[in-house]
């Protein structure tokens, strides 16, 4: 088991290096002078040169990369060109709403999608099964912002059950925080639940056709025992895999959803940084999102050992 964990941790190192080098090169692969683009059309030569020195663009490329990797290793992402604040401080200020929204969405999606997918497979061919397939296709096809605006129109403007937009921090109370993020979480859960439910249904249909399921039924095992004890455990690996891999889509949806609901999170910070050409902030946010995805995929990898002991060998 220890060797399994060590190998998985070791495999993360080249991925991290590739991500860091790729994010670093984003500032250099575009056409034109990055410092001039950041400064704007009306900037003077002195202002452009000042930005070039602040971003270390006046140094050789390999030296820039070495200094950049050293700064990232010490969690120093530089300073914002637009506001002058440290990028890490800006990220820490915005991480709470994004983290709570992502966790809220994942919990909501898992609690809805897995039971629906399993039950639809158990009742394959029935009206419930067809309804799930149709709902998952709709949820996976409709853009996130369309779902968001529809939910705002129904539940915020007409029924007035939830606020139209904005965010209440945990300091204002847990219930107030959850209430302010319910509509954004439901919006993201449409996409996330549709994918997980379809995979859960397809995997459960395959498991239910296995010989050991027929053997359990032939021995007189109750349907509930067959479903929970024999079948449910064996869909763990593919379902956990799709949850981990679709987390990237969830983070992409967070960027759009936070803009729709005016939530001051990482998504809004990303959009604002792109609009103001604040490259240090863009790089810092991309690295943060990438590290989260790498950590999620690592946890998914390690969780395989819980569902399938053969993975540890």
């Amino acid at each position: 088991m220890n060797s399994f964990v060590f190998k998985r941790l070791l495999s993360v190192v080249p991925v991290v290096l590739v991500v860091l080098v790729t994010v670093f090169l984003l500032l250099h692969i575009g056409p034109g002078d990055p410092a001039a683009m950041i400064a704007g059309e009306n900037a003077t030569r002195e202002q452009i040169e000042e930005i070039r020195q602040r971003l270390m663009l006046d140094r050789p490329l390999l030296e820039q990369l070495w200094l950049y990797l050293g700064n990232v290793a010490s969690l120093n992402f530089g300073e914002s060109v637009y506001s002058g604040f440290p990028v890490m401080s800006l990220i820490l200020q915005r991480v709470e709403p994004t983290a709570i929204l992502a966790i809220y969405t994942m919990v909501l999606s898992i609690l809805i999608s897995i039971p629906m997918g399993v039950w639809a497979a158990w009742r394959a061919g029935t009206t419930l099964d067809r309804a799930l397939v149709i709902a998952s296709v709709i949820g996976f096809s409709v853009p996130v912002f369309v779902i968001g605006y529809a939910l705002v129109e129904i539940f915020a403007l007409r029924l007035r059950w939830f606020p139209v937009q904005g965010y209440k921090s945990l300091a204002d109370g847990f219930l107030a925080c959850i209430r302010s993020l319910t509509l954004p979480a439901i919006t993201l859960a449409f996409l996330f639940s549709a994918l997980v439910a379809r995979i859960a249904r397809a995997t459960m249909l395959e498991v239910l056709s296995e010989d050991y399921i027929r053997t359990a039924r032939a021995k007189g095992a109750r349907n509930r025992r067959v479903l929970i004890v024999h079948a449910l455990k064996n869909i763990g690996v593919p379902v956990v895999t799709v949850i981990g891999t679709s987390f990237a889509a969830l983070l992409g949806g967070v960027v759009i959803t936070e803009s729709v609901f005016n939530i001051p999170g990482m998504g809004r910070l990303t959009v604002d940084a792109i609009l103001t050409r604040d490259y240090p902030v863009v790089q810092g946010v991309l690295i943060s999102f990438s590290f989260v995805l790498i950590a999620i995929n690592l946890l998914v990898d390690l969780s395989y050992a819980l569902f399938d002991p053969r993975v540890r060998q």
Side-chain angles (χ1 to χ4, degrees), residues 38-116:
I38 294 172
E41 298 179 356
N42 300 322
T44 63
R45 185 178 298 274
E46 289 77 12
Q47 291 173 330
I48 295 176
E49 188 63 29
E50 179 186 357
I51 293 176
R52 184 177 289 109
Q53 292 178 0
R54 287 174 58 186
L55 298 180
M56 299 182 294
L57 296 175
D58 56 338
R59 304 187 184 188
L61 185 62
L62 290 179
E63 183 180 354
Q64 292 181 44
L65 177 59
W66 180 254
L67 293 173
Y68 175 76
L69 293 177
N71 290 334
V72 172
S74 61
L75 298 180
N76 178 17
F77 297 143
E79 295 181 350
S80 168
V81 177
Y82 183 75
S83 64
F85 291 108
V87 175
M88 180 55 71
S89 298
L90 296 176
I91 292 175
L92 292 177
Q93 290 173 4
R94 303 293 190 96
V95 73
E96 179 188 296
T98 300
I100 296 175
L101 177 58
I103 294 172
Y104 191 3
T105 301
M106 286 193 66
V107 172
L108 189 64
S109 301
I110 292 171
L111 291 178
I112 294 174
S113 60
I114 294 181
M116 286 184 62

Side-chain angles (χ1 to χ4, degrees), residues 249-261:
L250 174 62
L251 291 181
V254 164
V255 176
I256 301 174
T257 305
E258 288 184 354
S259 299
V260 171
F261 290 94

Side-chain angles (χ1 to χ4, degrees), residues 126-187:
T126 63
T127 303
L128 174 66
D129 184 28
R130 297 189 186 95
L132 174 68
V133 173
I134 295 174
S136 61
V137 171
I138 294 174
F140 203 68
S141 304
V142 179
V144 173
F145 66 90
V146 173
I147 298 174
Y149 285 127
L151 292 178
V152 168
E153 175 67 24
I154 297 172
F155 295 102
L157 297 179
R158 295 188 180 181
L159 299 177
R160 300 183 183 276
W161 289 356
F162 301 99
V164 176
Q165 55 182 209
Y167 169 71
K168 295 290 185 180
S169 68
L170 286 174
D172 298 321
F174 179 77
L175 293 179
C177 176
I178 293 299
R179 184 171 180 267
S180 67
L181 292 178
T182 296
L183 288 185
I186 294 175
T187 300

Side-chain angles (χ1 to χ4, degrees), residues 180-242:
S180 67
L181 292 178
T182 296
L183 288 185
I186 294 175
T187 300
L188 289 172
F190 265 91
L191 173 64
F192 205 66
S193 299
L195 181 58
V196 175
R198 294 193 68 175
I199 296 298
R201 174 186 177 274
T203 308
M204 181 57 74
L205 284 174
E206 183 178 351
V207 169
L208 291 176
S209 64
E210 296 289 341
D211 291 338
Y212 63 87
I213 297 295
R214 288 193 289 268
T215 301
R217 285 173 170 168
K219 289 182 177 180
R222 295 182 178 181
N223 287 336
R224 180 179 298 178
R225 180 176 177 81
V226 170
L227 181 63
I228 297 176
V229 177
H230 298 283
L232 194 58
K233 183 180 179 180
N234 292 285
I235 71 170
V237 171
V239 170
V240 169
T241 300
V242 75

